[in-house]
Amino acid sequence: KLEYVISQKTRYLLVLDRSMQAEQIWKHLHNALYRFISTIPTGDEVSVITYGRQARMKLPPTVVTEANRVGIHGRITGKVGSDAEGCLECALREASQLISDSDIVKTKIVIVSASNSDNQNELKRSLESLSKRSEVFALMAGSQRIILDPEMKDNIDIFSVDEEEQNSVDDLYDILSLTLTDDVIVRTNQSVKFFSDQFSVKSNKRVSGKFVVENSLRLMMTVMTTTVMKEDIEMFQLTSPSGITFQFPTVEKGQVYFHFPQLSEPGVWSYLVKLTPSTLHPTVPV
C-alpha cells in the first residue's frame, strides 16, 4: 500500500492603497508588513500590488525563503504616491489574474484601502467574484464602509481600522496576522501575545511596569515597545526575575525589541521606557 500527502501552501496577494488618502497609515503599515512578511512560513508565496489611480504589480507571486524575506518587503515602497485617490476596483482586477488555480495553492487576498469607492455596487461585485476563488480580507482605513449581503460573508472578512489603530504598528500587525493560515502557529512555532499595555507619555518622561512569564510561555520570547516614531525612544530596558538587566534592544523597521531565542526565566519581569527630551508630539502613545 502506497500513501502520500500533498502539502498545501498559501499565496498571499497584498493589495495596498498608495494614494495620498493612505498617508496617515502608510508608515506604520509599512513597518507592520515587515513583521507580517517575517511571519509567513517559508514555502508560501507573496505577491504585491499597489495602487493609486492605476494598479501596479510590484512583485509577482514569489516563494518565501529565509534569504528573501527582506527583499520581498523591499518591494513595498516606504512612501505614498502622488495620486489623490486610489482605484481599488482596478487593483482587484489585477489581483484576480494572480489567483492560483492549483489544488495545492490556496489564495488569500489581503486588501488595505484608505480611499472611497465611486461605485459601491461594482466594488461588492468584485469582492464577491474574488471570494468564489479565494479568501478575501479587507482592512478599511478610510471613511468608507462596505456592507456585505449575508450570502457574501462566508469567504470575506472586513476590518474597520480606526485612527488609533492606524497609528500603531502593533495593532496593524495584529489585524494582518488574522489573515495567516490556521496552521501557521503549528508550522512556525509562533508564540501568542500574552501581555500588552498602552500609555500616553510626555517628552523626557519614563514609564515602567511588570509582566509575568509563565512556564508555558518561556520559549522564543519577544518584548517590544513602539511609539509614533522609534526615534522618540531614548531607552528601553528589561529586568529578569533574577535581576539580570537587558539594556541594548534591537532597533529596526519601526520596532524596538528584545528577542530571547532560548528559554526565558519564568516569573515577574519589569520594563522601563524613557522618551527623548524632544519627541514628535508633546505627548505620545507608548
Side-chain angles (χ1 to χ4, degrees):
K1 182 180 178 181
L2 178 64
E3 295 182 353
Y4 62 92
V5 176
I6 299 176
S7 61
Q8 189 178 63
K9 64 181 180 179
T10 302
R11 174 178 294 176
Y12 295 92
L13 304 182
L14 306 182
V15 180
L16 309 174
D17 187 350
R18 273 197 67 227
S19 73
M20 295 180 68
Q21 296 297 315
E23 188 169 14
Q24 176 175 339
I25 191 177
W26 188 258
K27 177 176 180 178
H28 304 289
L29 174 66
H30 190 259
N31 292 328
L33 285 167
Y34 177 83
R35 291 171 60 183
F36 177 69
I37 292 169
S38 298
T39 307
I40 294 175
T42 57
D44 281 355
E45 299 177 359
V46 175
S47 180
V48 179
I49 297 169
T50 62
Y51 66 96
R53 286 195 300 267
Q54 297 179 329
R56 294 184 59 193
M57 183 170 68
K58 303 291 289 185
L59 181 71
T62 300
V63 176
V64 176
T65 68
E66 291 301 335
N68 70 3
R69 292 181 189 275
V70 174
I72 289 173
H73 180 260
R75 294 295 187 95
I76 305 172
T77 183
K79 297 181 179 180
V80 298
S82 58
D83 291 343
E85 291 276 353
C87 176
L88 177 54
E89 293 87 344
C90 304
L92 296 182
R93 285 194 292 270
E94 184 77 21
S96 69
Q97 306 298 314
L98 300 178
I99 296 175
S100 174
D101 294 322
S102 171
D103 291 336
I104 63 170
V105 180
K106 177 170 60 176
T107 301
K108 294 199 171 194
I109 302 176
V110 182
I111 302 163
V112 180
S113 174
S115 301
N116 292 322
S117 174
D118 293 331
N119 191 328
Q120 274 275 328
N121 289 330
E122 181 182 349
L123 177 56
K124 288 170 68 173
R125 283 194 297 270
S126 297
L127 291 172
E128 182 178 19
S129 176
L130 292 173
S131 70
K132 293 176 180 177
R133 302 168 55 211
S134 65
E135 294 182 49
V136 180
F137 301 84
L139 283 65
M140 311 304 293
S143 58
Q144 176 171 257
R145 296 293 179 265
I146 301 175
I147 308 300
L148 298 175
D149 300 327
E151 62 272 14
M152 289 178 59
K153 293 184 177 180
D154 287 345
N155 242 11
I156 305 176
D157 287 302
I158 307 292
F159 303 95
S160 178
V161 185
D162 62 31
E163 185 173 348
E164 182 176 328
E165 291 169 327
Q166 291 177 41
N167 287 319
S168 169
V169 175
D170 276 349
D171 288 346
L172 289 171
Y173 169 73
D174 287 345
I175 298 172
L176 287 169
S177 67
L178 295 175
T179 70
L180 293 168
T181 50
D182 295 335
D183 60 344
V184 161
I185 292 178
V186 175
R187 293 161 66 188
T188 64
N189 198 26
Q190 183 187 359
S191 299
V192 296
K193 179 190 287 188
F194 63 88
F195 174 82
S196 179
D197 211 341
Q198 184 166 334
F199 307 89
S200 293
V201 185
K202 294 182 179 180
S203 302
N204 208 32
K205 296 297 183 180
R206 303 182 178 206
V207 63
S208 61
K210 297 180 179 181
F211 60 91
V212 177
V213 177
E214 299 178 3
N215 275 316
S216 60
L217 301 171
R218 296 169 59 196
L219 182 62
M220 297 182 68
M221 182 174 73
T222 299
V223 185
M224 180 181 302
T225 183
T226 61
T227 183
V228 179
M229 296 279 287
K230 66 180 183 297
E231 290 80 9
D232 286 346
I233 298 172
E234 182 173 279
M235 181 181 66
F236 179 31
Q237 177 179 299
L238 291 180
T239 304
S240 74
S242 65
I244 300 174
T245 300
F246 300 89
Q247 297 179 306
F248 303 102
T250 300
V251 180
E252 64 175 5
K253 301 294 182 183
Q255 307 172 74
V256 182
Y257 65 92
F258 292 97
H259 178 66
F260 302 90
Q262 305 301 320
L263 289 173
S264 302
E265 290 184 47
V268 179
W269 288 64
S270 61
Y271 60 88
L272 174 66
V273 179
K274 182 179 183 299
L275 299 188
T276 61
S278 180
T279 53
L280 181 64
H281 302 295
T283 300
V284 297
V286 175

